[in-house]
């Protein structure tokens, strides 16, 4: 998983050649994503396939990683596994994007090389929820833990098993 991926690519040329790019991208290399995650070590597994559907040049691919993102309820980092499949039709204008005949998202390409890292980053950011939260109710669990603790603390000392033991010891003497 140490294959180096090129950053700047010409998707049309790669589609003509039916190229496949696969490798890993360090999370730290993606600035916008690094701002969102709680930890930016680790990497993203990427496979990108270029080709054509009919006359339409296409980019499709798969992105796999596990990010550490902050739960918006309890603010603790939590593992967030991602397995994203994407499919983009390469277009040269907004008009062409509107007329995209295949069921996929447009990728605007005006002849200037585009950033593969940026494309992968966009797909990941789109796949992340706005308010990521633990699947269980982490705040209720947290507050009930606290109230248990309070209860124990406010119990009268006589109920403490150690003081009962101490009493038994005394009577035995
Ligand atoms: Zn949480």
């Amino acid at each position: 998983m140490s294959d180096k991926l090129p950053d700047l690519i010409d998707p049309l040329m790669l589609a003509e050649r039916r190229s496949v790019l696969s490798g890993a991208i360090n999370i730290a290399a993606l600035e916008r994503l690094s701002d969102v995650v709680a930890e930016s070590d680790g990497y993203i597994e990427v496979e990108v396939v270029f080709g054509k559907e009919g006359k339409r040049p296409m980019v499709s691919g798969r992105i796999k990683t596990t990010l550490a993102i902050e739960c918006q309820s309890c603010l603790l980092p939590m593992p967030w596994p991602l397995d994203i499949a994407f499919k983009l039709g390469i277009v040269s204008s907004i008009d062409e994007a509107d007329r995209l005949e295949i069921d996929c998202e447009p990728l605007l390409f005006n002849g200037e090389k585009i950033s593969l890292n940026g494309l992968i980053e966009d797909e990941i950011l789109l796949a992340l929820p706005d308010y990521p939260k633990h699947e269980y109710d982490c705040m209720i669990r947290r507050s009930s833990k606290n109230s248990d603790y309070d209860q124990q603390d406010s119990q009268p000392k006589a109920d403490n098993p150690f003081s009962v033991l101490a009493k038994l010891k005394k009577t035995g003497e």
Side-chain angles (χ1 to χ4, degrees):
M1 262 312 164
S2 58
D3 309 354
K4 280 234 168 160
L5 287 166
D7 186 16
L8 292 179
I9 56 164
D10 178 337
L12 273 187
M13 190 192 74
L14 293 169
E16 287 296 334
R17 293 181 183 174
R18 291 176 156 60
S19 300
V20 177
L21 299 177
S22 70
I25 300 174
N26 287 321
I27 294 172
L30 306 180
E31 259 180 50
R32 284 174 294 149
L33 184 63
S34 296
D35 283 348
V36 174
V37 294
E39 289 152 30
S40 59
D41 47 354
Y43 61 88
I44 301 155
E45 284 177 56
V46 176
E47 186 177 65
V48 190
V49 179
F50 299 84
K52 282 185 174 184
E53 268 183 37
K55 283 186 175 176
R56 173 69 58 198
M58 304 283 303
V59 186
S60 58
R62 198 147 178 212
I63 302 167
K64 278 197 248 179
T65 187
T66 298
L67 300 174
I69 56 176
E70 201 174 72
C71 167
Q72 295 302 296
S73 290
C74 68
L75 302 180
L76 293 173
M78 58 179 172
W80 195 268
L82 283 176
D83 188 345
I84 304 166
F86 66 90
K87 190 173 166 187
L88 308 169
I90 302 170
V91 297
S92 57
S93 67
I94 303 286
D95 281 354
E96 204 187 337
D98 288 340
R99 287 183 275 112
L100 204 58
E101 65 277 14
I102 309 160
D103 180 29
C104 59
E105 295 296 312
L107 173 66
L108 199 61
F109 177 63
N110 60 12
E112 245 176 73
K113 286 189 175 180
I114 59 167
S115 162
L116 181 64
N117 282 2
L119 190 155
I120 300 297
E121 191 169 31
D122 284 344
E123 293 297 327
I124 294 174
L125 290 172
L126 279 173
L128 287 179
D130 288 338
Y131 296 100
K133 280 181 187 176
H134 280 110
E135 274 179 28
Y136 56 86
D137 207 332
C138 47
M139 289 310 277
I140 283 184
R141 211 177 261 201
R142 239 186 162 192
S143 57
S144 71
K145 243 186 203 168
N146 284 343
S147 62
D148 277 357
Y149 189 76
D150 288 347
Q151 241 173 22
Q152 272 175 14
D153 222 29
S154 61
Q155 270 170 352
K157 278 196 176 149
D159 286 341
N160 184 321
F162 292 104
S163 59
V164 173
L165 262 181
K167 262 186 204 166
L168 287 173
K169 246 187 171 182
K170 255 189 181 174
T171 49
E173 266 175 8

